[in-house]
Each structure stands twice: as structure tokens, then as C-alpha cells.
Amino acid sequence: MSKVKYYYDPESLSYRKIERKKRRTFKYAMVFLLASALFGFMFVFVGSYYFESPKEKALKRELQNMEFQFELLNKKMDHAEKVLANVADRDNNIYRVYFEANPIPESQRQAGFGGINRYKKFEGYDNSKLIMESNKRLDVLQKQIVVQSKSLDEIKALAEEKEKLLAAIPAIQPVSNEDLTRMASGYGMRTDPFTKARKMHKGMDFTAPRGTPIYASGDGKVIRADSRSSGYGKHIRIDHGFGYVSLYAHLYKYNVRKNQKVKRGDLIGFVGSTGRSQAPHLHYEIRKDGKNINPVNFYYGSLTAEEFSKMLEHASLENQSLD
């Protein structure tokens, strides 16, 4: 029960009950409510400015984590760009040089993206610049990887073709060193054994006993194994591809037939003295695109440096050929 208050009235010399007017009561109530609301607003404003709510703390942590992740992503892209630059350098200056392919222009490797603004959707955020730069770098990196991937596919194809070429090129001596009597005559102008006139000797003569094994000097296909070519007697021709053909003449007998595929080192025939020949020996020729070339440059697969030097010395002598 509320307390009743009185005041002393000097005129009537008595105490009178204090009557509170409703208007004043309402006024006091409104002032109290407004003051409370103002105080509450100031409390909330100051509290929100100086203190974070759990939701704000969670959002702030999430934002910090995203910024951290973007920094990690940029560091990873830095590393990826360095690795890719190293691969591109080796691609242009080693792989493509070795396989005789044109290097990829730097403008093609570093080409950007034209047209409309691809990153407009990232504008308007607090970290728009960071997000846009990261996406630009990632797009350029992806494009460079595609360019490099296509280049390596091309290098792989060139390597496979080069492997076939290296296997096909006549690269070994057709008669083993231990079976040779001597390297009788080299490529170039030599004295003809029958006419004694100087003429072009289009191959190399290896003297060896009749029946000495003869080996294919490279992978290929036998395109001739007959005696229907003037002066060569029984002879074999192997097409190695890439424009190379090797010829083995004056054979005693064959160990292969026409259209047979052979590998480097396969036994294909035996030394003889058929055709226009003065003594048992192997006449060996190499032709590139239909033209005779010096076989002495194709023995890197079977001779040591010392043996090759001796062969060069004998091959350079302008002596008499054996056919």
C-alpha cells in the first residue's frame, strides 16, 4: 500500500492530504521514460563502439581467416610462378633447342585477358583489391600452365620422333673390328683398281675374310636384297626412314629378304667378293635424300674415340679402292 503524504496548511492550521495531479504524474512518467530510452540508446551505442558482440567477433575472425588464406594463396602462386618460369626457360632453351623446335614467344606465354572487366563482380568490398589481384594472377597462371602443357605435349611428340630417328640413323660399323683385316679405302676421290683412273668412291671398303658377318647399322626395312645393280654384285639396301638409306655390297650371301624389318645390330649377310670387286670386302654406303654422304661420320655408336681417330686417318688416305 502506497504511503499517504500530508502538508501543513498555515491558514487552516491543519494538515492536508497531498493530492497528485494526473497531468503532472503523466509528465513525470514521460520524462522518466525518455531519460531511460536516451540512457539505453547511449549505453547500446557506446557498448557497440567499444565492445564486440559474439556475432561480430565471429565475423571478424572469419574475415581475418579469409585474409590469411588469401595471403597463403598468393605465396603459393609466387612459388608456382617461379616453378613455371623455370620450366618455361628449360622448355625454350634446352628441350626445344635439342629437338630443333622454335621457342614459344614470351608474348604468348604472358598474354593477358582482353575484353570486358572480368573482375567487376569483386568490386565494392573492403578487400576488393586483394580479391581481384588474386583472381587475376590465378587466371594468368592457369593460362600459362595450359600453354606450357601444350608445349610439353609437343616436346613429347618430338622426343618420340627423335627416339625413332636416333634408332634409325646408321650409327654403327657394319663389320666388327675384330673381324676386320683393315679399313681399305674411304669416301672421296680414289684410284679405280681396274682402270687406274681417279674417280669418286661413294662409300667405304672394309676388308674381311669371306663369310664374315655383316650387321645392319640402324633400324629399318630391307628394300633390296639382290644382284641386279651394276658393279655391286649381291647387295642389300635398308631404308631407315628420315631420308636415310644404307647399302652393303659384294656379299657372299644374304641373311635377310626384301621387305623384312631389321634392328640395328641384326645379322643381314656375309662378306664376299661378288660384282665388281678385286678381293673379299664390304663396300658400305650411306645415302641421305638420295645423295651419297661420308659414312665415317656415323660410327658414334660402336667406336671409341681412339678407334674413330684411327679410322679417320685411314679413311683420309687417297689410296686405291677395292671396287
Side-chain angles (χ1 to χ4, degrees):
M1 185 175 180
S2 62
K3 293 181 180 181
V4 180
K5 293 183 179 182
Y6 297 88
Y7 72 96
Y8 180 74
D9 185 1
E11 292 182 359
S12 63
L13 302 176
S14 63
Y15 288 96
R16 291 182 179 274
K17 187 178 180 181
I18 298 175
E19 299 287 347
R20 182 176 291 180
K21 293 181 180 180
K22 292 182 177 180
R23 181 177 293 179
R24 182 174 292 180
T25 302
F26 178 75
K27 181 180 178 181
Y28 288 156
M30 291 301 296
V31 170
F32 176 77
L33 289 174
L34 286 173
S36 299
L38 181 61
F39 178 78
F41 175 77
M42 291 180 64
F43 179 80
V44 171
F45 178 77
V46 173
S48 64
Y49 186 80
Y50 290 101
F51 304 99
E52 295 176 341
S53 67
K55 185 176 181 180
E56 287 175 329
K57 288 182 179 179
L59 289 173
K60 187 175 181 180
R61 284 196 299 269
E62 186 176 347
L63 180 60
Q64 290 174 341
N65 182 58
M66 288 181 64
E67 291 176 346
F68 177 70
Q69 293 299 328
F70 267 107
E71 288 179 6
L72 285 180
L73 177 63
N74 277 295
K75 288 181 180 178
K76 288 180 180 179
M77 284 193 289
D78 286 340
H79 179 68
E81 285 171 349
K82 289 179 182 178
V83 172
L84 189 60
N86 181 264
V87 173
D89 181 65
R90 284 185 291 166
D91 183 24
N92 275 350
N93 299 313
I94 299 178
Y95 307 145
R96 289 182 166 271
V97 170
Y98 179 76
F99 294 114
E100 300 175 356
N102 293 325
I104 296 176
E106 193 65 20
S107 58
Q108 184 178 341
R109 290 186 183 276
Q110 301 295 336
F113 297 88
I116 62 173
N117 186 356
R118 298 165 56 89
Y119 311 102
K120 193 171 184 179
K121 60 184 177 182
F122 300 120
E123 294 177 352
Y125 300 98
D126 292 339
N127 295 286
S128 291
K129 185 176 180 181
L130 176 63
I131 298 172
M132 290 171 68
E133 287 300 320
S134 297
N135 277 275
K136 285 179 183 178
R137 291 183 67 189
L138 188 59
D139 285 345
V140 171
L141 191 60
Q142 286 176 334
K143 184 173 181 180
Q144 291 175 353
I145 290 173
V146 170
V147 172
Q148 187 59 60
S149 177
K150 290 181 179 178
S151 175
L152 292 177
D153 287 341
E154 183 183 350
I155 292 296
K156 180 183 177 184
L158 290 171
E160 290 174 350
E161 193 69 9
K162 193 80 170 184
E163 187 178 1
K164 293 178 184 176
L165 171 62
L166 292 175
I169 288 179
I172 64 171
Q173 201 171 252
V175 179
S176 298
N177 268 348
E178 56 268 22
D179 295 330
L180 292 178
T181 304
R182 64 190 175 95
M183 207 289 292
S185 182
Y187 177 90
M189 298 301 295
R190 298 292 184 269
T191 301
D192 185 281
F194 298 99
T195 65
K196 305 303 179 182
R198 282 171 55 80
K199 61 180 288 190
M200 183 64 185
H201 188 240
K202 297 180 180 180
M204 296 183 72
D205 292 341
F206 297 92
T207 57
R210 184 172 182 266
T212 298
I214 300 171
Y215 305 99
S217 55
D219 295 1
K221 179 181 177 181
V222 178
I223 55 174
R224 289 188 67 171
D226 56 58
S227 58
R228 297 192 301 272
S229 189
S230 177
Y232 288 125
K234 291 183 178 180
H235 76 291
I236 295 170
R237 301 187 195 195
I238 299 175
D239 186 350
H240 302 279
F242 305 96
Y244 289 96
V245 173
S246 59
L247 183 148
Y248 314 77
H250 311 304
L251 274 60
Y252 162 60
K253 64 178 179 178
Y254 310 111
N255 194 53
V256 291
R257 60 185 183 280
K258 184 179 179 181
N259 296 325
Q260 181 177 334
K261 290 184 179 180
V262 294
K263 293 287 186 181
R264 180 181 293 149
D266 284 354
L267 176 64
I268 59 173
F270 301 91
V271 171
S273 187
T274 57
R276 194 174 184 271
S277 172
Q278 195 177 48
H281 74 287
L282 171 68
H283 175 81
Y284 176 64
E285 294 182 12
I286 295 179
R287 297 173 183 176
K288 176 72 167 70
D289 299 324
K291 296 181 180 179
N292 285 88
I293 55 179
N294 195 341
V296 78
N297 298 317
F298 292 82
Y299 299 133
Y300 58 84
S302 60
L303 299 179
T304 65
E306 185 179 354
E307 291 171 338
F308 186 69
S309 295
K310 289 182 179 179
M311 175 171 283
L312 280 177
E313 183 181 349
H314 289 294
S316 62
L317 298 174
E318 292 194 19
N319 53 5
Q320 177 177 288
S321 65
L322 294 177
D323 46 35

